[in-house]
Amino acid sequence: MMRAIVLGAEGPVLAEAPVPEAGGAQVRVRVQACALNRADLYMAEGRRHGDTGGRGTVLGLEWAGVVDAVGPDVPAHIHVGKRVMGSGRGAFADYAVADWGRVLPMPDSILDPAMAATLPIALQTMHDALVTHGRLQAGQSLLVHGASTAVGLMALQIARYMKAGWVGGSSTNAGKRQRLPDWGADLAVDPTAPDWVQQVLDATGGAGADVVVDMLAGPVFNATLAATAIEGRIVNVGRLAGRTANFDFDLHALRRVHYSGVTFRTRTAEQVRQITAHMLRDLGAALDAGQLRLPVDRSFALAQGAQALAYMQTNRHFGKIILRVA
């Protein structure tokens, strides 16, 4: 048996759970640290109301540690004893299992597993959004909506590494906006301010952003269309401002904007393997050199998983919240 944060009758609790087995193409990791993601809140809240999963489900999506066991179909470059980081369900525990395509090598430049645990989901998500779907090229302008989130901070850094031109970010929190230039933003705007679109247009010579990575959506979206360059690309990653809203089809047509949405929830294992491989191809050198990182806002012990999730719910953090396991 192992320790794990599971869904109890009243929410997340520390409990004993069976140690998972690694079969087929799976890797089992002895977890040293976990990172919280907003999806963890949605999963815990949804399951509490019976929407998905059930009691006893091990929570968590992101971890770092050491490979403990591998299934017979795992490639040889992932082996017992290897330091790794990755994503997959059941992360908030002493042991976690994931498909090998979700497992990344822990860079030698990272000595603390807690720092490694902050990276996998942000790297995979933002490379897929910026490069594969956003088709960001050197010199092009980028707006990151929700830039003070962990994935948003990673988007700013990837854009700088890829030699983007102007880079802007948005946050509704004034204190967090002040910190965005330290992570690569030329301009930080408040998406609730009436003049934020004009600020973006002024900063881009009237053109608007070539690429927008959007973690907001909702009622902000029509303004986002207006802040996007003609024939620009908007990639929807999150819905922090709302899942539905009125859509200005005429403005969309006038701007001739290419709009796409991304999520890992409908990806096959093979598709995730390709996303990971493409990300490592383009960003592996930057990872090895320690050029891509995320700040740790606060650390908790594994037994404090419920407190860590409650802290995330307050939305006061900047960067990642960590559970230290070993």
Side-chain angles (χ1 to χ4, degrees):
M1 300 294 284
M2 66 175 184
R3 300 174 302 157
I5 300 297
V6 306
L7 186 63
E10 301 299 324
V13 295
L14 182 70
E16 286 195 337
V19 176
E21 297 294 331
Q26 293 179 320
V27 177
R28 185 172 70 194
V29 173
R30 177 169 53 82
V31 177
Q32 296 173 316
C34 313
L36 273 64
N37 291 273
R38 190 161 297 275
D40 297 322
L41 295 178
Y42 301 151
M43 291 167 61
E45 292 169 358
R47 286 173 177 159
R48 198 177 307 156
H49 292 90
D51 296 334
T52 56
R55 293 182 189 177
T57 300
V58 180
L59 301 177
L61 293 171
E62 194 170 29
W63 43 257
V66 179
V67 175
D68 175 75
V70 296
D73 301 325
V74 173
H77 71 273
I78 302 176
H79 54 79
V80 172
K82 186 176 182 66
R83 299 171 70 241
V84 294
M85 55 191 188
S87 61
R89 292 182 182 273
F92 295 170
D94 287 317
Y95 294 89
V97 165
D99 182 82
W100 70 263
R102 290 181 173 269
V103 178
L104 289 68
M106 193 186 304
D108 292 338
S109 61
I110 298 179
L111 301 179
D112 185 355
M115 298 303 296
T118 68
L119 297 175
I121 288 177
L123 286 168
Q124 292 164 318
T125 300
M126 282 301 118
H127 181 272
D128 182 57
L130 280 172
V131 179
T132 302
H133 294 276
R135 306 191 302 281
L136 180 68
Q137 300 293 316
Q140 290 186 328
S141 57
L142 169 71
L143 172 65
V144 180
H145 260 326
S148 62
T149 62
V151 288
L153 294 173
M154 183 58 71
L156 296 177
Q157 294 175 79
I158 293 173
R160 286 303 181 204
Y161 178 73
M162 298 185 65
K163 303 186 185 306
W166 178 86
V167 176
S170 79
S171 174
T172 58
N173 183 288
K176 294 178 180 180
R177 285 197 301 276
Q178 291 179 353
R179 301 178 67 175
L180 293 181
D182 294 336
W183 296 89
D186 295 307
L187 173 70
V189 299
D190 179 354
T192 66
D195 66 339
W196 79 263
V197 172
Q198 191 60 50
Q199 292 181 55
V200 172
L201 293 175
D202 289 345
T204 55
D210 294 311
V211 179
V212 178
V213 171
D214 184 13
M215 262 81 72
L216 300 183
V220 182
F221 185 75
N222 287 334
T224 300
L225 279 173
T228 305
I230 291 177
E231 295 194 338
R233 284 89 67 196
I234 299 175
V235 184
N236 175 247
V237 178
R239 274 72 55 192
L240 294 175
R243 297 186 177 188
T244 60
N246 291 327
F247 186 94
D248 190 333
F249 290 96
D250 192 52
L251 180 59
H252 181 226
L254 287 169
R255 305 299 285 178
R256 305 198 302 277
V257 167
H258 303 263
Y259 180 51
S260 59
V262 296
T263 180
F264 276 75
R265 286 175 291 169
T266 51
R267 309 273 193 181
T268 66
E270 183 56 38
Q271 288 171 333
V272 174
R273 293 170 188 172
Q274 292 175 2
I275 288 171
T276 301
H278 293 165
M279 183 276 293
L280 289 173
R281 175 199 65 200
D282 292 343
L283 303 180
L287 272 175
D288 291 340
Q291 293 177 261
L292 301 174
R293 60 190 178 89
L294 287 172
V296 172
D297 181 275
R298 188 174 295 186
S299 295
F300 295 82
L302 178 64
Q304 298 174 300
Q307 293 97 309
L309 287 163
Y311 176 62
M312 175 172 253
Q313 187 72 64
T314 68
N315 202 33
R316 296 198 303 266
H317 61 288
F318 185 87
K320 297 290 276 191
I321 301 167
I322 295 296
L323 295 180
R324 292 190 179 271
V325 180

